[in-house]
Amino acid sequence: LGSNTFNILIGLGLPWLLYTWIVGPYHALPAGDIVGPVMVLVATLIGFLALLAFTGFKLYKAHGYVFVALYVAFLGWAVGKEYS
């Protein structure tokens, strides 16, 4: 079981499952402005898959730099959007 899968299923899923079993439904999570980040996530996934297909399913160091830069840009956008 990969660490990301474990983190999502156990680290996030298990506490919410236990909370809803013990306390009841959780309604305090604001989801009004989630469309933008989800679209960025989908676009990044499609770009990553296209990049893999284009390079013969090989990753190079430059790809890592590009995706780290994209992640930093996304963080800047998300923080700027939150505090504007």
Side-chain angles (χ1 to χ4, degrees):
L1 191 64
S3 66
N4 290 337
T5 304
F6 181 83
N7 290 340
I8 296 297
L9 295 177
I10 304 301
L12 291 175
L14 185 61
W16 274 357
L17 178 68
L18 293 175
Y19 183 90
T20 56
W21 277 352
I22 296 167
V23 177
Y26 182 75
H27 298 289
L29 186 64
D33 196 24
I34 199 167
V35 174
V38 169
M39 289 294 121
V40 170
L41 177 64
V42 169
T44 303
L45 177 62
I46 290 170
F48 177 71
L49 293 175
L51 178 70
L52 280 179
F54 182 71
T55 61
F57 293 93
K58 293 181 182 177
L59 289 176
Y60 300 98
K61 190 182 287 191
H63 299 149
Y65 291 132
V66 168
F67 280 102
V68 167
L70 287 173
Y71 181 66
V72 169
F74 170 75
L75 287 179
W77 172 72
V79 169
K81 187 175 177 183
E82 187 68 29
Y83 290 106
S84 64

